[in-house]
């Protein structure tokens, strides 16, 4: 089989998806895309879905091969042998299948295999090679055909179909079928593709056949298209054709991959296994919303990023080796690798003779190309190499400011000088005084020479005017120079300043302080990167080189990000002609045109959140853009899935969760990141595609436990109010009870006080009466005593006879004295007063000793009054002897011993 020669050897980026990645059968029969940019593939094992990060296989319930798929709104229609149906995904990306076969007469479809699905005029057409069905969303209808058919093709608004043995027919909305004029030419041919021959025209057709080449059909006229390649087309068998929106024609072959032609018929790209395609047999093709070509292959899937700003030369065969440096010279591209220097020639690279080995640096100066090599230095012209210096290890060339005739070069053993001669450059001399390896050197704005080696740190060299001798060497590695004690320091210049990268931070030289200081405007909180500039000293472009991506900078402005792994050597980025920049890769290289603004837009597709899966339960929470996600406190370990419709290789992601951390961290996996045991609270999550500005943010709230929720706090407040009210009520009730008790106590105290006052009054009255009684008693005692004395005196006088006293007078006096001694009124008054004063005493004593007589009680009262015996005896009209007898009898009745004091007993006890 002959292979076409494509003179532009740089091809578009290919993103290959292998069987190991999508985990289904190797054959992919059909490809489609939904409005949300997710992809769907009809695979031998079932329906494959892909969101840019995650593959998912959904098998038909019948287990049949899915031959055709088509996305329409939320439905994904599919066709298989004897079966038609559609799939729908819920918000958690779980698919359900609806079988439409029961609504179709069994005789129509039971032996038919649906190979093609086309949407036109609001209808879905399902097609086998002998059946065409039309579906309006509810009802299925059979469309009449002139015979067996090949694939149904939609060219703008026209539906065209080949009827084997007849020609090409146009199908009209009213089911009318009409043969296209001149199409009988194809009655004996197998038509595999019908597209528009001209941009914007559906009347001029380009018809591809399986074994007869490609033809144009215009107003009934047939012509061979691209006749010089007809034999090639026949040989490789055109299996699919696709007309892209920009007018490009894509041909998929059975034997030799994919051909991409411009609208004027010029071959732009030929993609096959030798330059990156997994398999040369193309069985389906599809153009997605971003102008990328999806290829369903006999083994695997591939995305052709035709509008990617990067174009690649992929060295899958290992012919070139690892690329270290590039240069465009004499209308050829030169590539320096670890195997030698190669020159492009007619789309093929050839080794420049004599340059086998490691090439370090290609440098253009004054219309000459110099090659720094492991074995020395060469000049290159007309594809030939000439050695001009045998000092090994030509690592890096540097222009000398103000001297167009001199070049400095760093080598394995120090610095050498090259001088411009009449016929080119020649070796001049080696700089003396410094024999350390110099992998990179820069000359700053003051003309100072800075050098770095793989193990020597950073040094500033002062060289004499003839550039022959190092007169001073100053080492800036260490605290004195402001750099860490590291031997693996990277040297660069940016904005005219000398910059050093220590693996974590960038520092620039401060000429006033004579030391390096951290450059805050270069350092970012993201991952560490190297600074690389193009070999064009007048170019303001520079690049941040990450481990897995590149970022194009112009001054301090971010311009573009590239997801590729570049060689991180000093000379790995080169300025080529016409605004192109070359990136050296480990397997080939990539070329980027800085003037391509359209291509840059294709890389700005946003990331979108998908769903959240709970780690413990597997429960799914849909995530919608712009909405806050609420997560229960006991479901605070989860996985966030997101999707990225930028279908490219090398994608990686970072996230930042505020306020937990303000630093970007790598995501757990491709298309998801895990979180564990988030505390209740409000969070803002950012997820970013590494090396780009594509990101999304998501508000997440981990709800507090029920006992810390808003309703709980409301309940607590209400409960607190209730408890406070209850306590208040209880306090008020107790206060009322206490008040009542206090009032009652006050009333009692007042009552007792009144009683006490009454008792005091009674006591005072009693005391007064007792006093009166005592006075009366004393008066009576005294009166009786006095009368008794008078009586006795008169009696004595009469006996003496010394006085003249008649009997009658004597009797009269005695009668008056006796009357006063025995006056009943005095006795009654005394008894009444006595009983009033001693009433309670007498009652109590009588209650305790019922046998006491009135006389006994009266004697006890006199004794309680503490009267003496001689005072008591007259009150009874008895003598002391008689009173003692009374006292004895009273003591006996009271049960007192002879030793007991009767008066004390009565006073203390009663």
């Amino acid at each position: 089989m002959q292979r076409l020669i494509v003179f532009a050897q740089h091809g578009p980026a290919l993103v290959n998806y292998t069987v190991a990645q999508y985990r289904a059968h190797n054959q992919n029969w059909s490809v489609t895309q939904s409005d949300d940019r997710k992809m769907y593939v009809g695979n031998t094992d079932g329906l494959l879905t892909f969101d840019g990060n995650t593959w998912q296989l959904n098998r038909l319930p019948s287990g049949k091969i899915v031959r055709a798929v088509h996305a329409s709104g939320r439905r994904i229609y599919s066709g298989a042998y004897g079966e038609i149906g559609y799939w729908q995904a819920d918000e958690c990306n779980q698919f359900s299948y609806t079988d439409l076969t029961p609504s179709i007469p069994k005789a129509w479809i039971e032996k038919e295999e649906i190979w093609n699905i086309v949407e036109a005029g609001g209808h879905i057409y399902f097609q086998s090679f002998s059946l065409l069905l039309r579906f309006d969303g509810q009802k299925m209808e059979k469309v009449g055909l002139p015979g067996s058919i090949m694939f149904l093709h939609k060219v703008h608004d026209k539906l065209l179909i080949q009827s084997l043995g007849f020609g090409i027919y146009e199908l009209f909305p009213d089911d009318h079928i009409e043969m296209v004029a001149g199409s009988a030419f194809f009655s004996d041919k197998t038509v595999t593709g019908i597209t528009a021959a001209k941009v914007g025209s559906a009347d001029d057709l380009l018809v591809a056949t399986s074994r007869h080449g490609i033809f144009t059909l215009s107003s009934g006229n047939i012509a061979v298209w691209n006749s010089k390649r007809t034999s090639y087309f026949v040989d490789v068998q055109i299996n699919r054709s696709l007309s892209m929106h920009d007018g490009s024609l894509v041909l998929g072959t059975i034997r030799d991959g994919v051909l991409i032609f411009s609208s004027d018929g010029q071959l732009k790209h030929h993609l096959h296994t030798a330059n990156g395609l997994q398999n040369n047999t193309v069985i389906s093709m599809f153009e997605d919303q971003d102008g990328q070509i999806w290829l369903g292959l006999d083994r695997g899937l591939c995305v052709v990023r035709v509008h990617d700003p990067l174009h690649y030369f992929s060295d899958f065969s290992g012919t070139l080796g690892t690329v270290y440096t590039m240069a465009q010279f004499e209308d050829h591209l030169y590539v320096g690798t670890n195997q030698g220097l190669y020159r492009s020639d007619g789309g093929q690279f050839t080794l420049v003779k004599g340059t086998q080995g490691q090439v370090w640096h290609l440098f253009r100066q004054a219309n000459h190309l110099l090659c720094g090599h492991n074995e020395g230095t060469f000049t290159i012209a007309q594809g030939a190499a000439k050695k001009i210096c045998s000092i090994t290890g030509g690592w890096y060339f540097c222009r000398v400011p103000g001297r167009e005739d001199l070049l400095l070069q760093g080598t394995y053993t120090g610095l050498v000088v090259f001088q411009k001669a009449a016929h080119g450059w020649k070796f001049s001399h080696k700089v003396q005084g410094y024999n350390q390896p110099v992998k990179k050197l820069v000359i700053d704005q003051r003309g100072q020479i800075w050098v770095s080696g793989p193990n020597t740190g950073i040094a500033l060299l002062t060289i004499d005017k003839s550039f022959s001798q190092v007169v001073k060497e100053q080492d800036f590695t260490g605290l004195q120079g402001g750099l860490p004690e590291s031997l693996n320091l990277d040297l660069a210049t940016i904005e005219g300043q000398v910059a050093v990268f220590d693996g974590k931070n960038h520092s620039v030289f401060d000429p006033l302080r004579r030391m390096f200081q951290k450059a805050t405007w270069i350092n970012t909180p993201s991952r560490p990167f190297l600074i690389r500039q193009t070999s064009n000293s007048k170019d303001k472009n520079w690049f941040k080189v990450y481990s897995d991506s590149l970022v194009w900078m112009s001054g301090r402005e971010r311009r573009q990000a590239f997801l590729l792994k570049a060689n991180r050597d000093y000379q790995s980025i080169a300025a080529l002609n016409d605004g192109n920049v070359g990136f050296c890769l480990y397997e080939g290289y990539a070329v980027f045109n800085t003037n391509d603004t359209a291509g840059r837009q294709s890389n700005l597709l946003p990331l979108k959140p998908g769903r959240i899966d709970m780690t413990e339960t597997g429960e799914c929470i849909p995530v919608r853009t712009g909405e806050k996600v609420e997560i229960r406190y006991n479901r605070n370990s989860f996985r966030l899935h997101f999707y990225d419709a930028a279908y490219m290789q090398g994608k990686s992601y970072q996230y930042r969760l505020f306020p937990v951390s303000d630093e970007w961290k790598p995501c757990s996996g491709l298309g998801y990141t895990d979180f564990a045991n988030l505390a209740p609270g409000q969070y803002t999550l950012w997820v970013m595609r590494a090396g780009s500005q594509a990101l999304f943010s998501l508000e997440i709230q981990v709800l507090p436990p029920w006992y810390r929720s808003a309703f709980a706090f409301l309940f607590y407040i209400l409960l607190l109010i209730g408890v406070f009210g209850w306590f208040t009520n209880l306090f008020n009730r107790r206060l009322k009870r206490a008040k009542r008790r206090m009032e009652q106590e006050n009333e009692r105290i007042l009552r007792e006080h009144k009683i006490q006052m009454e008792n005091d009054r009674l006591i005072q009255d009693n005391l007064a009466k007792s006093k009166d009684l005592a006075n009366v008693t004393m008066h009576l005692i005294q009166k009786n005593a006095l009368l008794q004395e008078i009586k006795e005196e008169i009696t004595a006088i009469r006996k003496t006879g010394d006085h003249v006293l008649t009997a009658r007078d004597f009797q009269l006096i005695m009668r008056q004295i006796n009357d006063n001694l025995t006056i009943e009124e005095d006795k009654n008054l005394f008894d009444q007063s006595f009983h009033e004063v001693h009433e309670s005493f007498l009652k109590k004593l009588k209650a305790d000793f019922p046998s006491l007589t009135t006389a006994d009680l009266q004697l006890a009262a006199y004794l309680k009054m503490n009267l003496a015996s001689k005072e008591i005896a007259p009150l009874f009209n008895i003598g002391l002897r008689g009173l003692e007898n009374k006292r004895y009898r009273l003591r006996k009745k009271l049960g007192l011993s002879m030793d007991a004091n009767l008066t004390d007993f009565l006073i203390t006890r009663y």
Side-chain angles (χ1 to χ4, degrees):
M1 178 186 68
Q2 62 174 338
R3 172 152 288 170
L4 296 182
I5 299 299
V6 183
F7 290 94
Q9 72 271 17
H10 307 143
L14 301 182
V15 183
N16 285 307
Y17 297 110
T18 65
V19 172
Q21 288 175 298
Y22 61 75
R23 296 183 181 181
H25 199 273
N26 54 281
Q27 292 177 316
N28 298 285
W29 302 101
S30 181
V31 182
T32 188
Q33 185 179 35
S34 56
D35 295 337
D36 59 2
R37 286 188 162 84
K38 293 182 180 179
M39 303 303 301
Y40 301 88
V41 180
N43 182 272
T44 298
D45 284 343
L47 176 71
L48 276 173
T49 69
F50 186 45
D51 62 9
N53 288 324
T54 305
W55 290 95
Q56 182 179 347
L57 176 64
N58 298 279
R59 299 179 185 272
L60 282 172
S62 61
K64 295 177 181 178
I65 297 173
V66 176
R67 297 289 188 184
V69 292
H70 175 77
S72 178
R74 295 185 63 246
R75 293 182 176 182
I76 311 299
Y77 290 95
S78 66
Y81 181 79
E83 184 174 339
I84 293 172
Y86 64 85
W87 308 77
Q88 283 185 297
D90 61 17
E91 292 181 313
C92 287
N93 206 39
Q94 298 300 311
F95 283 82
S96 61
Y97 176 71
T98 301
D99 190 0
L100 297 175
T101 309
S103 64
I104 306 170
K106 186 176 181 181
W108 288 5
I109 196 171
E110 65 176 343
K111 295 183 179 181
E112 298 293 335
E113 188 154 28
I114 305 302
W115 284 91
N116 191 21
I117 304 175
V118 176
E119 183 173 5
H123 294 83
I124 307 295
Y125 291 86
F126 300 91
Q127 178 229 319
S128 71
F129 292 134
S130 60
L131 174 71
L132 183 62
L133 298 175
R134 182 172 56 213
F135 183 58
D136 63 0
Q138 295 185 356
K139 184 176 65 175
M140 194 77 69
E141 296 178 330
K142 185 177 182 181
V143 179
L145 298 172
S148 297
I149 60 174
M150 291 300 293
F151 283 98
L152 178 68
H153 301 275
K154 182 180 179 182
V155 183
H156 297 296
D157 293 329
K158 288 186 176 183
L159 288 178
L160 302 173
I161 193 168
Q162 182 199 15
S163 178
L164 297 176
F166 295 95
I168 298 174
Y169 288 83
E170 181 179 354
L171 176 63
F172 292 92
D174 60 356
D175 290 348
H176 171 64
I177 295 178
E178 184 177 319
M179 182 180 287
V180 177
S183 66
F185 172 80
F186 300 101
S187 61
D188 60 344
K189 301 173 179 63
T190 300
V191 175
T192 57
I194 304 175
T195 61
K198 296 180 180 179
V199 177
S201 172
D203 296 326
D204 297 322
L205 303 177
L206 192 67
V207 182
T209 67
S210 175
R211 296 185 178 273
H212 296 84
I214 304 173
F215 304 87
T216 59
L217 174 59
S218 179
S219 302
N221 297 317
I222 300 292
V224 177
W225 183 82
N226 220 325
S227 58
K228 62 181 180 179
R229 295 192 172 97
T230 297
S231 60
Y232 169 78
F233 294 150
V234 171
D235 187 29
V236 300
Q237 292 183 253
I238 304 299
N239 191 42
R240 290 285 187 270
S241 66
L242 174 67
S243 180
M244 299 184 66
H245 288 85
D246 64 355
S248 299
L249 174 67
V250 185
L251 300 176
T253 73
I254 293 293
R255 303 181 60 208
D256 201 22
V258 175
L259 308 169
I260 303 176
F261 292 88
S262 62
S263 58
D264 59 1
Q266 297 298 315
L267 180 62
K268 297 194 298 183
H269 306 292
H270 182 196
L271 308 175
H272 44 77
T273 54
N275 58 13
L277 208 60
Q278 292 184 80
N279 181 260
N280 280 335
T281 300
V282 180
I283 56 180
S284 61
M285 294 194 303
F286 179 81
E287 181 185 8
D288 68 15
Q289 298 174 36
D290 302 303
Q292 301 174 129
I293 304 170
W294 286 76
L295 304 176
L297 306 175
D298 192 54
R299 186 172 67 250
L301 279 159
C302 180
V303 180
V304 184
R305 294 175 55 85
V306 290
H307 297 298
D308 196 301
L310 286 173
H311 283 75
Y312 295 82
F313 176 83
S314 299
D315 183 30
F316 293 102
S317 64
T319 302
L320 297 181
T322 301
V323 179
Y324 281 81
T325 183
M326 299 171 63
Q328 200 162 349
F329 181 65
E330 294 177 344
D331 296 327
H332 290 275
L333 181 66
Y334 286 86
V335 177
T337 76
N338 64 328
Q339 298 181 20
L341 178 64
Y342 292 83
R343 186 179 81 151
S344 65
D345 187 8
Q348 304 295 321
F349 279 100
T350 58
L351 178 67
V352 177
K353 188 177 180 180
T355 63
Q356 295 91 333
Q358 176 69 57
V359 175
W360 291 116
H361 193 193
L362 291 175
F363 186 77
R364 284 186 59 178
Q365 176 72 354
N367 297 320
H368 293 86
L369 180 64
L370 287 86
C371 173
H373 194 278
N374 183 61
E375 296 181 0
T377 302
F378 299 84
T379 59
I380 309 299
Q382 301 299 319
K386 177 183 177 183
K387 182 180 281 190
I388 59 173
C389 179
S390 297
I391 298 177
T392 57
W395 252 324
Y396 192 81
F397 292 96
C398 182
R399 296 179 177 89
V400 178
R403 296 291 301 269
E404 295 294 328
D405 60 331
L406 292 181
L407 288 176
L408 273 178
Q409 183 189 47
T411 71
Y412 293 168
T413 56
L415 296 172
V416 297
V417 178
F418 292 90
Q419 189 170 21
K420 187 178 179 182
H423 301 289
W425 292 89
K426 67 176 183 178
F427 171 73
S428 175
H429 60 273
K430 187 176 186 299
V431 178
Q432 301 299 315
Y434 189 81
N435 297 318
Q436 298 294 327
V438 178
K439 190 172 184 179
K440 179 68 180 291
L441 66 102
V442 297
I443 302 178
D444 64 19
Q445 294 177 334
R446 299 189 176 192
Q448 300 177 116
I449 300 174
W450 297 85
V451 297
S452 67
N455 298 298
T456 56
I458 302 296
L460 175 61
L461 304 181
T462 302
I463 303 179
D464 61 10
K465 293 182 179 181
S466 63
F467 286 89
S468 59
Q469 180 72 37
V470 173
V471 297
K472 184 179 180 182
E473 175 187 348
Q474 185 177 357
D475 185 7
F476 279 86
T477 304
L479 296 178
Q480 184 176 359
L483 297 176
E485 292 285 352
S486 174
L487 299 178
N488 191 21
L489 300 176
D490 192 83
L491 180 65
T493 57
I494 186 168
E495 294 189 351
Q497 294 179 291
V498 178
V500 174
F501 179 62
D502 60 19
K504 293 183 178 179
N505 297 293
H506 293 270
S507 301
V508 295
F509 183 69
D510 184 349
L512 297 178
R513 300 183 64 184
R514 300 295 295 173
M515 66 183 301
F516 284 88
Q517 292 185 307
K518 290 182 180 179
T520 55
W521 72 272
I522 302 177
N523 296 315
T524 62
S526 62
R527 301 171 299 157
F529 60 87
L530 297 173
I531 294 175
R532 290 292 178 262
Q533 290 180 305
T534 63
S535 52
N536 186 350
S537 61
K538 297 180 180 180
D539 197 343
K540 293 183 179 180
N541 294 323
W542 61 283
F543 294 85
K544 293 181 178 180
V545 182
Y546 295 92
S547 60
D548 56 1
S549 60
L550 289 170
V551 176
W552 170 32
M553 305 290 294
S554 181
R556 300 190 181 188
E557 179 187 359
R558 178 191 176 102
R559 301 295 298 277
Q560 177 69 43
F562 308 97
L563 291 177
L564 51 78
K565 295 182 180 180
N567 188 335
R568 290 159 68 86
D569 201 78
Y570 281 119
Q571 298 79 44
S572 59
I573 299 177
L576 307 177
N577 296 346
D578 303 322
N580 289 311
V581 176
F583 301 131
C584 300
L585 309 178
Y586 292 101
E587 292 181 341
Y589 60 87
V591 176
F592 166 62
N593 192 312
T594 57
N595 300 319
D596 182 5
T597 57
R600 289 202 292 275
Q601 300 303 317
S602 66
N603 287 332
L604 299 180
L605 295 175
L607 305 180
K608 292 186 179 180
R611 70 182 190 278
I612 286 177
D613 290 338
M614 297 302 161
T615 302
E616 295 180 357
T617 64
E619 176 188 357
C620 169
I621 298 178
V623 178
R624 303 177 186 90
T625 303
E627 293 186 5
K628 180 187 290 186
V629 178
E630 292 186 348
I631 296 174
R632 293 168 55 189
Y633 78 98
N634 57 349
R635 299 287 188 270
N636 57 352
S637 295
F638 57 88
R639 171 173 289 182
L640 170 68
H641 294 266
F642 54 88
Y643 69 94
D644 181 4
Y647 297 99
M648 60 180 70
Q649 285 182 334
K651 292 188 294 185
S652 61
Y653 301 93
Q654 299 170 287
Y655 76 92
R656 182 174 63 184
L657 186 64
F658 182 83
V660 175
S661 175
D662 199 38
E663 295 184 359
W664 290 98
K665 299 179 180 179
C667 288
S668 306
L670 189 65
Y672 67 87
T673 190
D674 294 316
F675 299 95
N677 300 320
L678 283 184
Q682 300 277 354
Y683 300 91
T684 301
L685 171 68
W686 286 273
V687 177
M688 178 179 68
R689 187 192 307 138
S692 74
Q693 293 176 304
L695 55 79
F696 71 85
S697 64
L698 182 65
E699 298 294 325
I700 299 176
Q701 181 181 12
V702 179
L703 299 174
W706 64 267
Y707 51 83
R708 290 177 53 191
S709 64
F711 290 106
F713 282 112
L714 178 61
F715 172 75
Y716 298 151
I717 292 173
L718 295 176
L719 180 62
L720 184 62
I721 293 173
V723 170
F724 178 77
W726 182 80
F727 273 108
T728 301
N729 186 44
L730 178 64
F731 177 77
N732 289 334
R733 289 201 306 270
R734 290 186 175 181
L735 186 63
K736 288 179 180 179
R737 287 198 297 269
K739 185 177 180 181
R740 285 198 300 270
R741 286 197 299 269
M742 186 177 293
E743 290 174 349
Q744 293 171 355
E745 182 68 15
N746 290 335
E747 291 176 358
R748 183 188 64 79
I749 293 172
L750 181 61
R751 186 170 58 253
E752 290 179 352
H753 181 65
K754 289 180 179 180
I755 294 172
Q756 183 66 35
M757 290 179 64
E758 182 66 19
N759 290 337
D760 292 343
R761 185 185 66 79
L762 293 175
I763 291 172
Q764 292 298 324
D765 290 345
N766 191 34
L767 290 175
K769 288 181 178 181
S770 296
K771 188 176 182 181
D772 292 341
L773 179 61
N775 292 332
V776 170
T777 302
M778 293 304 298
H779 174 71
L780 290 175
I781 293 171
Q782 291 173 0
K783 184 187 74 168
N784 287 338
L786 177 63
L787 290 176
Q788 187 69 28
E789 289 178 0
I790 293 173
K791 180 179 178 181
E792 292 176 353
E793 187 67 26
I794 291 175
T795 301
I797 291 174
R798 187 177 177 189
K799 287 179 177 182
T800 60
D802 292 336
H803 299 281
V804 180
L805 183 64
T806 64
R808 186 175 177 276
D809 291 335
F810 176 78
Q811 292 177 350
L812 179 63
I813 294 171
M814 291 302 290
R815 186 171 54 250
Q816 289 179 347
I817 292 173
N818 290 330
D819 289 341
N820 282 297
L821 287 172
T822 60
I823 292 176
E824 198 64 32
E825 290 180 359
D826 289 342
K827 186 176 182 302
N828 292 337
L829 177 61
F830 175 80
D831 291 340
Q832 182 180 356
S833 298
F834 184 87
H835 284 287
E836 286 180 0
V837 172
H838 299 289
E839 181 179 6
S840 60
F841 166 74
L842 295 175
K843 285 182 178 180
K844 187 174 182 182
L845 187 62
K846 182 65 175 178
D848 292 341
F849 303 99
S851 62
L852 295 179
T853 63
T854 303
D856 293 333
L857 294 173
Q858 190 172 7
L859 175 61
Y862 291 151
L863 292 174
K864 183 174 176 59
M865 292 172 63
N866 204 18
L867 295 178
S869 296
K870 64 180 182 179
E871 294 173 337
I872 299 173
L875 295 176
F876 287 98
N877 285 323
I878 60 176
L880 290 175
R881 182 80 178 173
L883 182 62
E884 289 298 326
N885 292 331
K886 278 185 171 291
R887 287 174 63 99
Y888 173 77
R889 288 192 295 271
L890 178 60
R891 179 188 299 274
K892 191 174 182 179
K893 289 182 180 179
L894 294 178
L896 297 177
S897 64
M898 295 304 293
D899 297 334
N901 190 306
L902 179 61
T903 302
D904 291 342
F905 171 77
L906 292 174
I907 292 174
T908 57
R909 183 169 179 179
Y910 296 96

